[in-house]
Amino acid sequence: MILTVSLSPCIDVNIEVDSLSVGMSHKIISKRIFYTGKSINVSIGLARLGVRAFVTGFMYEDNGRLFEQELHREGINYKFVWSRGRVRENYKFVDHKSMLTEFDDVSPEISLQRQDDLVRLVSEFAPGCEAVFVAGGLAKGMTADFYERILKAVPEGVLKVVDSEGDRLRYALGCGVDLIKPNVEELERTLGIKVKSPEGALDGAKQLVNMGAGRVLLSLGKDGAIITDGKKSYYCKSNNVAMNSTVGAGDAMVAAAMNALVHGCDNAEILKCGVAAGTAAVITPDTISFRREKYDEIFSLLSVKEI
């Protein structure tokens, strides 16, 4: 079983409009609502691969039951730490020029008692798991070292996977992490650098290895991804596909890569699995994950090269 720890669930409301002008009235062409968050998305991706996943983390009383319905549909078990308030809602508007305008909400405050409750849940569930995944922003009342607290509750022998950036990632790396999955922008913000070439991206990934990452799976968006353990590095290019949705593509990549890691695959195979899932997710509309048949189809067409 793989445990995923959701620190910042959210409801993504994706709205398509003909145009978007400040101070004007607009008619909605289409609206899609996703009950999401990195760890929840990863759990769904694992379930699509036939892996038993268990979700824990923070949830909010006013509208959190909607997430339970989503997890029930996917056959995923869960146990949340409940707090007062509403799950944050993010609004994404896309106009006829494909211009994206976003309004991101902030999670309500999480008390110190609830933070302690989540650490206890992780220490309770983690010993029975093969891997633990931690991701998400921090609510009001939380500090970046909460990542350290969570990971210290994971016993030795259980794989640790993290998707984060900045101070949160630095605290996580201090605990030793088996796999992290930044994208280029997150890499830049964490290291305070500007990536100007593929070589620069690889150098940045190796810096994260030196900071405590066992492997860095660096997403390059439509250009694919690289993976490095500081000694050997590999590159896998995505297939050229129509991008129907980028929602959850990075989380799909994490799910497949983590599954491969748990099964003892080498880094080249971990990379190939991740790219296959991420690509399958972007061609699958109206969902936050991918379909297994598309994953298998794309996986069979990919190739990996050492760089």
Side-chain angles (χ1 to χ4, degrees):
M1 184 172 74
I2 294 177
L3 176 67
T4 70
V5 184
S6 176
L7 301 183
S8 185
C10 65
I11 298 174
D12 279 352
V13 184
N14 292 5
I15 298 173
E16 182 184 357
V17 294
D18 182 56
S19 63
L20 187 62
S21 301
V22 175
M24 301 296 291
S25 177
H26 303 84
K27 287 191 176 180
I28 294 174
I29 298 173
S30 67
K31 180 170 72 173
R32 292 180 293 173
I33 299 176
F34 301 99
Y35 302 98
T36 181
K38 286 180 178 293
S39 296
I40 291 170
N41 297 350
V42 167
S43 289
I44 293 173
L46 290 168
R48 301 279 174 93
L49 292 170
V51 180
R52 186 178 169 216
F54 189 96
V55 183
T56 190
F58 299 121
M59 191 53 68
Y60 297 91
E61 294 172 355
D62 289 359
N63 53 356
R65 301 298 174 189
L66 299 167
F67 286 78
E68 293 184 316
Q69 295 175 20
E70 186 74 19
L71 292 170
H72 276 303
R73 278 193 289 269
E74 297 288 343
I76 298 170
N77 292 324
Y78 56 87
K79 185 174 182 179
F80 292 119
V81 173
W82 291 87
S83 291
R84 293 179 180 178
R86 293 180 60 81
V87 176
R88 64 192 176 100
E89 297 175 357
N90 298 329
Y91 290 86
K92 304 175 188 294
F93 295 87
V94 178
D95 63 18
H96 69 286
K97 297 179 181 178
S98 296
M99 184 70 71
L100 175 65
T101 303
E102 300 186 67
F103 297 86
D104 291 339
D105 202 356
V106 179
S107 295
E109 184 172 356
I110 296 288
S111 69
L112 291 174
Q113 179 61 57
R114 292 292 180 264
Q115 294 176 44
D116 292 343
D117 290 343
L118 182 54
V119 173
R120 279 194 294 271
L121 277 183
V122 172
S123 65
E124 176 185 339
F125 295 132
C129 297
E130 297 168 288
V132 173
F133 173 72
V134 186
L138 300 172
K140 297 175 184 176
M142 298 180 67
T143 55
D145 61 351
F146 189 71
Y147 267 72
E148 181 180 39
R149 291 190 63 200
I150 288 289
L151 291 171
K152 283 186 174 179
V154 179
E156 289 188 19
V158 177
L159 295 167
K160 296 188 284 287
V161 181
V162 171
D163 188 359
S164 192
E165 63 173 293
D167 287 342
R168 289 170 285 155
L169 180 55
R170 282 188 282 271
Y171 273 109
L173 292 175
C175 300
V177 178
D178 296 281
L179 173 69
I180 62 172
K181 200 262 347 135
N183 58 36
V184 172
E185 292 76 18
E186 291 165 339
L187 178 94
E188 290 178 328
R189 288 192 291 267
T190 299
L191 298 176
I193 63 173
K194 190 66 179 176
V195 172
K196 298 181 179 179
S197 66
E199 294 77 15
L202 180 56
D203 287 343
K206 288 180 177 179
Q207 286 186 53
L208 293 176
V209 171
N210 292 334
M211 292 167 64
R215 302 163 188 80
V216 177
L217 175 60
L218 180 63
S219 171
L220 305 175
K222 62 182 178 59
D223 293 323
I226 61 176
I227 193 169
T228 185
D229 60 6
K231 298 175 182 177
K232 288 189 175 183
S233 307
Y234 300 91
Y235 170 71
C236 182
K237 180 174 173 51
S238 301
N239 286 357
N240 292 322
V241 296
M243 294 181 64
N244 291 314
S245 173
T246 59
V247 175
D251 305 323
M253 177 179 283
V254 172
M258 184 160 52
N259 181 46
L261 177 66
V262 165
H263 283 87
C265 296
D266 61 23
N267 288 344
E269 188 80 355
I270 291 170
L271 172 63
K272 186 176 178 181
C273 291
V275 172
T279 306
V282 302
I283 65 174
T284 308
D286 301 319
T287 180
I288 57 175
S289 195
F290 56 89
R291 295 190 176 93
R292 177 62 187 263
E293 60 270 20
K294 278 296 178 185
Y295 166 81
D296 290 336
E297 176 187 331
I298 292 168
F299 181 87
S300 67
L301 299 173
L302 294 176
S303 60
V304 175
K305 66 176 183 179
E306 188 171 357
I307 54 176

